[in-house]
Amino acid sequence: MRWTVLTLFPSVFDSICTASLFGKAVEAGVIQVRPVDIRDHAEGKHRSVDDSPFGGGVGMVLRVEPVARALEAVRADDPAVHVVLLTPQGRLLDQARVGELAGHAHVALLCGRYEGVDDRICGLVDEELSVGDYVLSGGEPAAWVVMDAVCRLVPGVLGKAESTLEESHGAAGLLEYPQYTRPREFRGQAVPEVLLSGDHAAIARWRRRQAIVRTAERRPDLLARADLSEEERVWIEQLGRVPGRG
Ligand code: SAM
């Protein structure tokens, strides 16, 4: 999968592209990341990319011309590229959208700065995406979030041991069950006995129930939409942990 990142800070992506799982996928050639410096598309002696907002107000605005030229160069190179503007005003990123993005062969992420990009850029992008209801100083951390989450779903990136099937926000729509490793006891807290039993069916049953309880307690909004059997719905209702029951 190809990523193009349009940014004023291309060097930020040097460390991202060598770190951890993402770095391994880049090294293996499964993921390609090409940062594009928006400033390379600015004109004039000072290669200025920002200006003060029309109508007054604080801060600066990223000018539309250099960003448009940078985007047009990316589209000229690959007309099938899917262009995403990162903005706190965009659609909220969730696992379903992550899955859809993983279906694109080439995604370009446009990172804003200052007070954002001149709004006339919106007509040149395919979608606007937010990574959460908070404001970052720039789109670069958001780009890393999007690339990392999508990369995990690209075939060949995760090993079998790191399957995404049972993870939080996975197919069942539940949070993941609690995980433990050595030591068996930590400051008086023992690992649940069933996990040491070697009884795989009992472990699977325990994990499923823990995932349901955990989701009910921490994210009742997710539980309402989760893929539960009738028996499981009755069971969690009896525990008094259905949404709205506290
Ligand atoms: N003035 C803008 C507003 O109030 O909507 C915020 C601009 S923000 C300081 C600068 C840049 O950071 C944005 O153009 C965007 O690219 C990025 N950014 C900030 N928060 C983000 C979020 N939650 N999701 C995605 N990108 C974000």
Side-chain angles (χ1 to χ4, degrees):
M1 179 175 191
R2 283 170 69 193
W3 294 94
T4 299
V5 189
L6 297 106
T7 170
L8 290 176
F9 299 95
S11 63
V12 164
F13 294 91
D14 295 347
S15 55
I16 293 169
C17 292
T18 52
S20 189
L21 186 81
F22 197 83
K24 279 189 201 154
V26 171
E27 198 181 299
V30 183
I31 301 284
Q32 290 168 30
V33 182
R34 186 173 73 98
V36 168
D37 191 341
I38 294 170
R39 207 172 287 278
D40 288 345
H41 296 267
E43 289 177 334
K45 198 168 98 191
H46 299 293
R47 296 203 302 158
S48 154
V49 290
D50 60 323
D51 210 335
S52 46
F54 278 128
V58 290
M60 301 297 271
V61 176
L62 195 45
R63 295 176 52 170
V64 70
E65 304 106 306
V67 178
R69 278 195 289 269
L71 267 184
E72 281 155 6
V74 173
R75 283 208 197 272
D77 175 55
D78 178 9
V81 64
H82 182 74
V83 179
V84 177
L85 169 64
L86 295 163
T87 162
Q89 303 179 18
R91 169 184 170 174
L92 267 185
L93 182 69
D94 59 13
Q95 194 64 27
R97 189 69 201 119
V98 165
E100 286 157 12
L101 284 171
H104 290 280
H106 184 189
V107 176
L109 300 173
L110 171 54
C111 303
R113 276 275 158 179
Y114 316 119
E115 290 309 313
V117 190
D118 183 310
D119 216 62
R120 290 169 287 185
I121 205 64
C122 296
L124 298 182
V125 304
D126 297 310
E127 71 169 310
E128 298 175 33
L129 209 55
S130 166
V131 294
D133 287 339
Y134 43 79
V135 178
L136 300 163
S137 314
E140 291 76 14
W144 189 8
V145 167
V146 174
M147 289 193 294
D148 189 284
V150 172
C151 168
R152 308 181 82 250
L153 303 186
V154 172
V157 171
L158 289 185
K160 269 192 194 142
E162 302 154 307
S163 161
T164 57
L165 282 179
E166 289 192 348
E167 275 189 323
S168 299
H169 310 291
L174 297 169
L175 300 181
E176 193 179 58
Y177 47 79
Q179 299 270 19
Y180 302 90
T181 184
R182 275 183 274 275
R184 287 183 176 209
E185 192 171 317
F186 173 70
R187 297 181 184 169
Q189 294 181 79
V191 168
E193 205 57 44
V194 63
L195 297 179
L196 311 173
S197 68
D199 181 340
H200 296 299
I203 292 171
R205 249 189 334 272
W206 180 87
R207 284 180 164 166
R208 172 81 186 173
R209 296 226 152 177
Q210 286 294 314
I212 295 171
V213 168
R214 182 156 279 217
T215 310
E217 286 173 348
R218 299 182 182 193
R219 292 292 304 275
D221 56 313
L222 294 180
L223 194 75
R225 304 193 299 268
D227 186 12
L228 300 188
S229 69
E230 197 44 46
E231 187 196 343
E232 287 170 334
R233 286 216 177 269
V234 171
W235 170 72
I236 194 72
E237 199 158 327
Q238 282 167 352
L239 285 182
R241 281 163 162 155
V242 283
R245 297 248 180 138

